[in-house]
Amino acid sequence: MIRSIGIALLMVVCTGAQQSVGPIPRQTILAELVAANRILANEGVMDSYGHVSMRDPGNPGSFFLSRDIPPGNVSAADILQYDLDGNAIAAGNASSYSERFIHSEIYRARPDVMAVVHAHSQEVIPFAATGIPLQPLFHMAAFLGVGIPVFDPRDAGSSGDLSVRSPAMGKSLAATLGAKPGLLMRGHGMVLVGPSLHVAVARSYYMNANAQLQVQSAQLGGTSKVHYLDADETMKASPVDNYERAWAWWKQRAEKGK
Ligand SMILES: [Zn+2]
């Protein structure tokens, strides 16, 4: 039963936001999002900050996102539903993440995106700071080969706090993202998107891993000697299971607290 729900959910989130979907219990969607929060915290992609959301497959004009708490503490009761203006539906007294407009404006601009991750990953900060592009070093991060743009809050009219706290800033970030799988935020962190929640989470994990490997490779051999995946490898090397094995393993680890 659980396996069939998982497969159905995977099929739904991979079909795209515009498509009508069959009934998926709300509690199943919330459980997936709780698992994503716990995984990202447990695997060190997020610390006490950062957030992950999932578009509502049955109502593509809305998405699910936790209230303003650390991702490692998120439970189903903490998850709110938002419209694409970033307004929480029936939030009560719960406070929202100030950067929820990252999510709302990406969902508005990208009908193909079913999940969004925003993290303050220290591993990627040097790349946006120096302008050295992230490039794929191994097959698990082949998606980086299409190029990862850098969003500079100053260019979007930031007053200097480096955060995306308005729909206008969110629109600017979504425009920088374009059709890419993710971007770097100078002086802040990163955003990854995906056609499913599992893929968005995995891209976050493996972008961090690739950033670490790229720094190590440069230290070993100098940037001119590093062999990155070429264009052909970038197209062919993505995991055939869309990271499903990784998701199952990370979820098991998170549930065991290790
Ligand atoms: Zn942030």
Side-chain angles (χ1 to χ4, degrees):
M1 177 65 177
I2 292 175
R3 176 175 170 79
S4 63
I5 290 174
I7 292 172
L9 183 60
L10 176 64
M11 291 175 65
V12 164
V13 297
C14 289
T15 55
Q18 300 296 335
Q19 198 154 348
S20 175
V21 299
I24 298 176
R26 182 188 176 95
Q27 64 188 53
T28 302
I29 296 173
L30 300 187
E32 284 277 290
L33 200 48
V34 168
N37 275 277
R38 299 294 178 91
I39 286 169
L40 289 164
N42 196 53
E43 298 299 331
V45 178
M46 291 181 179
D47 50 17
S48 54
Y49 299 96
H51 21 90
V52 51
S53 67
M54 178 178 167
R55 193 194 293 269
D56 183 353
N59 180 10
S62 70
F63 63 96
F64 295 98
L65 177 69
S66 168
R67 67 186 177 95
D68 187 12
I69 60 174
N73 288 343
V74 170
S75 63
D78 299 309
I79 296 174
L80 305 174
Q81 191 161 9
Y82 288 85
D83 64 24
L84 296 190
D85 291 323
N87 298 314
I89 302 166
N93 294 323
S95 60
S96 297
Y97 291 121
S98 62
E99 292 192 294
R100 61 192 179 281
F101 305 106
I102 293 172
H103 305 259
S104 59
E105 295 302 332
I106 288 176
Y107 288 125
R108 191 198 305 277
R110 289 275 302 273
D112 61 303
V113 168
M114 293 303 287
V116 177
V117 175
H118 167 55
H120 301 163
S121 305
Q122 296 174 21
E123 292 88 341
V124 304
I125 296 296
F127 291 88
T130 60
I132 294 174
L134 271 171
Q135 297 184 69
L137 273 163
F138 72 143
H139 63 307
M140 301 303 284
F143 65 92
L144 298 175
V146 300
I148 300 299
V150 176
F151 173 72
D152 193 322
R154 287 284 191 190
D155 296 340
S158 167
S159 61
D161 73 353
L162 299 174
S163 295
V164 178
R165 303 184 195 275
S166 70
M169 290 286 288
K171 283 182 170 59
S172 180
L173 182 141
T176 301
L177 177 67
K180 299 296 179 64
L183 56 69
L184 300 178
M185 301 169 70
R186 183 187 65 78
H188 190 143
M190 66 183 191
V191 174
L192 278 302
V193 303
S196 74
L197 181 64
H198 297 189
V199 169
V201 167
R203 284 176 173 171
S204 305
Y205 177 92
Y206 285 112
M207 189 153 96
N208 274 8
N210 195 93
Q212 291 178 312
L213 293 173
Q214 192 168 336
V215 170
Q216 292 168 357
S217 299
Q219 291 171 334
L220 280 173
T223 53
S224 63
K225 298 180 181 177
V226 177
H227 288 240
Y228 301 106
L229 271 62
D230 63 26
D232 186 52
E233 292 166 337
T234 292
M235 294 292 294
K236 297 176 179 174
S238 297
V240 294
D241 69 344
N242 275 328
Y243 304 104
E244 284 304 309
R245 183 186 297 186
W247 172 272
W249 173 243
W250 293 328
K251 185 178 178 185
Q252 181 181 330
R253 281 166 49 85
E255 289 170 350
K256 291 181 178 178
K258 61 182 180 181

Short mmCIF file of all heavy atoms in Angstrom, two decimals, residues 140-170:
data_model
loop_
_atom_site.label_atom_id
_atom_site.label_comp_id
_atom_site.label_asym_id
_atom_site.label_seq_id
_atom_site.Cartn_x
_atom_site.Cartn_y
_atom_site.Cartn_z
N MET A 140 26.48 12.16 -10.12
CA MET A 140 25.33 12.48 -9.29
C MET A 140 24.96 13.96 -9.36
O MET A 140 23.86 14.36 -8.99
CB MET A 140 25.61 12.09 -7.83
CG MET A 140 25.93 10.61 -7.64
SD MET A 140 24.62 9.51 -8.24
CE MET A 140 23.41 9.68 -6.92
N ALA A 141 25.91 14.76 -9.83
CA ALA A 141 25.65 16.20 -9.96
C ALA A 141 25.71 16.65 -11.41
O ALA A 141 26.00 17.81 -11.70
CB ALA A 141 26.66 16.99 -9.11
N ALA A 142 25.41 15.73 -12.32
CA ALA A 142 25.48 16.05 -13.75
C ALA A 142 24.59 17.23 -14.12
O ALA A 142 24.88 17.97 -15.06
CB ALA A 142 25.11 14.83 -14.58
N PHE A 143 23.51 17.42 -13.37
CA PHE A 143 22.57 18.51 -13.69
C PHE A 143 23.24 19.88 -13.65
O PHE A 143 22.73 20.83 -14.24
CB PHE A 143 21.37 18.47 -12.73
CG PHE A 143 21.72 18.73 -11.29
CD1 PHE A 143 21.67 20.01 -10.79
CD2 PHE A 143 22.10 17.69 -10.46
CE1 PHE A 143 21.99 20.28 -9.46
CE2 PHE A 143 22.43 17.93 -9.13
CZ PHE A 143 22.39 19.22 -8.62
N LEU A 144 24.36 19.99 -12.96
CA LEU A 144 25.06 21.27 -12.89
C LEU A 144 25.63 21.68 -14.25
O LEU A 144 25.96 22.85 -14.45
CB LEU A 144 26.20 21.20 -11.87
CG LEU A 144 25.81 20.92 -10.42
CD1 LEU A 144 27.07 20.77 -9.56
CD2 LEU A 144 24.93 22.04 -9.88
N GLY A 145 25.73 20.72 -15.14
CA GLY A 145 26.35 20.99 -16.44
C GLY A 145 25.58 21.97 -17.32
O GLY A 145 26.15 22.51 -18.27
N VAL A 146 24.32 22.22 -17.01
CA VAL A 146 23.57 23.20 -17.81
C VAL A 146 23.89 24.62 -17.38
O VAL A 146 23.44 25.58 -18.03
CB VAL A 146 22.04 22.96 -17.69
CG1 VAL A 146 21.69 21.57 -18.19
CG2 VAL A 146 21.55 23.16 -16.26
N GLY A 147 24.66 24.74 -16.29
CA GLY A 147 25.04 26.07 -15.82
C GLY A 147 24.15 26.52 -14.67
O GLY A 147 22.93 26.39 -14.75
N ILE A 148 24.77 27.00 -13.62
CA ILE A 148 24.05 27.46 -12.43
C ILE A 148 24.23 28.97 -12.31
O ILE A 148 25.33 29.45 -12.02
CB ILE A 148 24.57 26.75 -11.16
CG1 ILE A 148 24.37 25.24 -11.29
CG2 ILE A 148 23.86 27.29 -9.93
CD1 ILE A 148 22.92 24.79 -11.44
N PRO A 149 23.18 29.74 -12.54
CA PRO A 149 23.31 31.21 -12.48
C PRO A 149 23.48 31.71 -11.05
O PRO A 149 23.20 31.00 -10.08
CB PRO A 149 22.00 31.71 -13.09
CG PRO A 149 21.03 30.58 -12.87
CD PRO A 149 21.82 29.32 -12.91
N VAL A 150 23.92 32.95 -10.95
CA VAL A 150 24.09 33.59 -9.65
C VAL A 150 23.11 34.76 -9.53
O VAL A 150 23.08 35.64 -10.40
CB VAL A 150 25.54 34.11 -9.46
CG1 VAL A 150 25.67 34.86 -8.14
CG2 VAL A 150 26.53 32.95 -9.52
N PHE A 151 22.34 34.73 -8.48
CA PHE A 151 21.41 35.83 -8.18
C PHE A 151 22.11 36.78 -7.21
O PHE A 151 22.56 36.36 -6.14
CB PHE A 151 20.13 35.28 -7.54
CG PHE A 151 19.20 36.34 -7.04
CD1 PHE A 151 18.47 37.12 -7.93
CD2 PHE A 151 19.04 36.56 -5.68
CE1 PHE A 151 17.60 38.10 -7.47
CE2 PHE A 151 18.16 37.53 -5.21
CZ PHE A 151 17.45 38.31 -6.11
N ASP A 152 22.21 38.03 -7.61
CA ASP A 152 22.81 39.04 -6.73
C ASP A 152 21.71 39.96 -6.24
O ASP A 152 21.13 40.71 -7.02
CB ASP A 152 23.87 39.85 -7.48
CG ASP A 152 24.72 40.67 -6.52
OD1 ASP A 152 24.15 41.19 -5.53
OD2 ASP A 152 25.93 40.79 -6.74
N PRO A 153 21.41 39.90 -4.95
CA PRO A 153 20.31 40.72 -4.42
C PRO A 153 20.48 42.21 -4.72
O PRO A 153 19.50 42.92 -4.87
CB PRO A 153 20.37 40.44 -2.91
CG PRO A 153 21.03 39.11 -2.81
CD PRO A 153 22.04 39.07 -3.92
N ARG A 154 21.70 42.67 -4.83
CA ARG A 154 21.93 44.09 -5.14
C ARG A 154 21.34 44.44 -6.50
O ARG A 154 20.77 45.52 -6.68
CB ARG A 154 23.43 44.38 -5.14
CG ARG A 154 24.05 44.42 -3.78
CD ARG A 154 23.71 45.71 -3.05
NE ARG A 154 24.51 45.87 -1.85
CZ ARG A 154 24.29 46.81 -0.94
NH1 ARG A 154 23.29 47.66 -1.09
NH2 ARG A 154 25.06 46.88 0.13
N ASP A 155 21.47 43.53 -7.46
CA ASP A 155 20.94 43.78 -8.80
C ASP A 155 19.41 43.83 -8.80
O ASP A 155 18.79 44.36 -9.71
CB ASP A 155 21.41 42.69 -9.77
CG ASP A 155 22.92 42.71 -9.94
OD1 ASP A 155 23.54 43.75 -9.64
OD2 ASP A 155 23.47 41.67 -10.35
N ALA A 156 18.81 43.19 -7.79
CA ALA A 156 17.35 43.14 -7.71
C ALA A 156 16.79 44.24 -6.81
O ALA A 156 15.61 44.22 -6.47
CB ALA A 156 16.91 41.78 -7.18
N GLY A 157 17.64 45.17 -6.43
CA GLY A 157 17.18 46.30 -5.63
C GLY A 157 17.22 46.09 -4.14
O GLY A 157 16.58 46.82 -3.39
N SER A 158 17.98 45.09 -3.69
CA SER A 158 18.09 44.85 -2.25
C SER A 158 18.68 46.05 -1.55
O SER A 158 19.59 46.71 -2.06
CB SER A 158 18.96 43.62 -1.99
OG SER A 158 19.33 43.53 -0.63
N SER A 159 18.15 46.30 -0.37
CA SER A 159 18.69 47.39 0.44
C SER A 159 19.98 46.98 1.13
O SER A 159 20.63 47.81 1.77
CB SER A 159 17.66 47.81 1.48
OG SER A 159 17.36 46.71 2.33
N GLY A 160 20.35 45.72 1.01
CA GLY A 160 21.60 45.27 1.61
C GLY A 160 21.46 44.11 2.57
O GLY A 160 22.46 43.58 3.04
N ASP A 161 20.22 43.67 2.85
CA ASP A 161 20.08 42.57 3.80
C ASP A 161 20.23 41.21 3.13
O ASP A 161 20.19 40.17 3.80
CB ASP A 161 18.77 42.67 4.58
CG ASP A 161 17.54 42.31 3.74
OD1 ASP A 161 17.69 42.10 2.51
OD2 ASP A 161 16.45 42.23 4.31
N LEU A 162 20.35 41.19 1.79
CA LEU A 162 20.67 39.97 1.03
C LEU A 162 19.56 38.92 1.04
O LEU A 162 19.78 37.79 0.63
CB LEU A 162 21.98 39.34 1.54
CG LEU A 162 23.23 40.21 1.41
CD1 LEU A 162 24.42 39.52 2.09
CD2 LEU A 162 23.55 40.50 -0.04
N SER A 163 18.38 39.27 1.51
CA SER A 163 17.28 38.30 1.57
C SER A 163 16.18 38.65 0.57
O SER A 163 16.09 39.77 0.08
CB SER A 163 16.70 38.24 2.99
OG SER A 163 17.67 37.74 3.89
N VAL A 164 15.33 37.65 0.31
CA VAL A 164 14.23 37.81 -0.66
C VAL A 164 12.94 37.90 0.14
O VAL A 164 12.30 36.89 0.43
CB VAL A 164 14.22 36.63 -1.65
CG1 VAL A 164 13.06 36.75 -2.62
CG2 VAL A 164 15.55 36.57 -2.42
N ARG A 165 12.56 39.11 0.50
CA ARG A 165 11.44 39.29 1.42
C ARG A 165 10.22 39.94 0.78
O ARG A 165 9.33 40.41 1.49
CB ARG A 165 11.88 40.16 2.62
CG ARG A 165 13.06 39.63 3.39
CD ARG A 165 13.35 40.51 4.60
NE ARG A 165 14.66 40.26 5.17
CZ ARG A 165 14.91 39.30 6.06
NH1 ARG A 165 13.93 38.52 6.46
NH2 ARG A 165 16.13 39.14 6.53
N SER A 166 10.17 39.98 -0.55
CA SER A 166 9.03 40.61 -1.22
C SER A 166 8.73 39.88 -2.52
O SER A 166 9.62 39.22 -3.09
CB SER A 166 9.36 42.08 -1.53
OG SER A 166 10.35 42.15 -2.53
N PRO A 167 7.51 40.01 -3.01
CA PRO A 167 7.19 39.41 -4.32
C PRO A 167 8.10 39.94 -5.42
O PRO A 167 8.49 39.18 -6.31
CB PRO A 167 5.74 39.81 -4.54
CG PRO A 167 5.18 39.96 -3.16
CD PRO A 167 6.30 40.55 -2.35
N ALA A 168 8.45 41.22 -5.37
CA ALA A 168 9.30 41.79 -6.42
C ALA A 168 10.68 41.12 -6.42
O ALA A 168 11.23 40.80 -7.48
CB ALA A 168 9.44 43.29 -6.22
N MET A 169 11.22 40.91 -5.23
CA MET A 169 12.52 40.22 -5.14
C MET A 169 12.38 38.79 -5.61
O MET A 169 13.28 38.25 -6.29
CB MET A 169 13.03 40.27 -3.70
CG MET A 169 13.47 41.63 -3.23
SD MET A 169 15.05 42.16 -3.93
CE MET A 169 16.19 41.10 -3.07
N GLY A 170 11.28 38.15 -5.25
CA GLY A 170 11.05 36.78 -5.69
C GLY A 170 10.95 36.68 -7.20
O GLY A 170 11.48 35.74 -7.81
#
